[in-house]
Amino acid sequence: MRNILKKRILVLDGAMGTALQEMNLTNEDFGGEEYYGCNENLVLTKPDAIKKVHMDYLEAGADIVETNTFGGTDFVLGEYGLQDKVYEINFNAVKIAREACDAFSTPEKPRFVAGSMGPTTKALSVTGGITFDELADSFYGQAIPLIEAGSDYLLLETALDTLNLKAGYIGILKAF
């Protein structure tokens, strides 16, 4: 990817959550009423919807698609009772994104998968509710399947708390 960046700007996809909201998905699509709003679970219950979002962004010219794993840590998924599905959700999200990228990749214009790691629902400096080490371990648990499934890189995104970013970075380093 570094060689490509020396030649041109790479375009990242847009918002996964917004694109999914526009699909007007039902409780059934999410796997039941108790999972409604857990976009990450859609990689298991409605993978075709996730793939369509990726394909639409790639068709529009994106070079990089982010996995549908913004809230893919154990304690965020735990808010839906899905904390035991961290590996499965993150791994499958990469596979779906990779399939879409492979469909659009050419030798002249390869497409890339970014393993999305969102800010979580905790801010160490503001809300607390989790320790730094617990947060780093949570990011570690998310990074492992993102790496093993073949993400081209990991993307810590949308964090307002730099301590959260540091915990994410430490979790990623541990995963490598």
Side-chain angles (χ1 to χ4, degrees):
M1 183 178 338
R2 287 184 180 156
N3 290 337
I4 295 170
L5 283 170
K6 291 178 183 178
K7 296 177 185 175
R8 66 183 179 87
I9 295 171
L10 295 178
V11 176
L12 188 63
D13 66 0
M16 174 65 74
T18 304
L20 291 172
Q21 285 177 349
E22 291 175 355
M23 290 182 176
N24 296 314
L25 298 171
T26 66
N27 289 342
E28 184 178 303
D29 293 324
F30 282 90
E33 185 177 351
E34 66 273 28
Y35 305 118
Y36 186 81
C38 184
N39 289 343
E40 294 75 17
N41 198 43
L42 291 168
V43 303
L44 303 179
T45 62
K46 195 78 169 164
D48 55 320
I50 304 303
K51 189 172 182 180
K52 179 179 180 351
V53 172
H54 292 318
M55 300 289 274
D56 288 349
Y57 281 125
L58 291 162
E59 189 173 319
D63 297 293
I64 305 165
V65 295
E66 298 174 51
T67 57
N68 183 41
T69 54
F70 186 79
T73 57
D74 57 355
F75 66 90
V76 176
L77 292 173
E79 294 173 7
Y80 294 94
L82 297 170
Q83 62 278 2
D84 61 331
K85 297 207 179 253
V86 170
Y87 191 94
E88 183 180 8
I89 285 171
N90 284 278
F91 193 91
N92 284 321
V94 174
K95 292 301 182 188
I96 294 166
R98 175 66 58 209
E99 286 176 17
C101 284
D102 288 350
F104 278 84
S105 286
T106 66
E108 301 78 32
K109 192 170 181 182
R111 305 298 170 78
F112 303 98
V113 174
S116 172
M117 301 174 80
T120 77
T121 55
K122 308 284 185 200
L124 288 167
S125 299
V126 181
T127 61
I130 193 167
T131 69
F132 183 88
D133 289 339
E134 289 169 334
L135 186 56
D137 285 344
S138 187
F139 279 121
Y140 165 78
Q142 182 181 21
I144 292 292
L146 292 174
I147 293 165
E148 289 181 357
S151 291
D152 294 301
Y153 65 95
L154 302 180
L155 177 64
L156 282 169
E157 61 168 316
T158 321
L160 302 175
D161 189 333
T162 56
L163 276 178
N164 282 44
L165 289 173
K166 185 175 180 181
Y169 179 67
I170 287 170
I172 290 168
L173 286 179
K174 182 180 175 186
F176 279 105

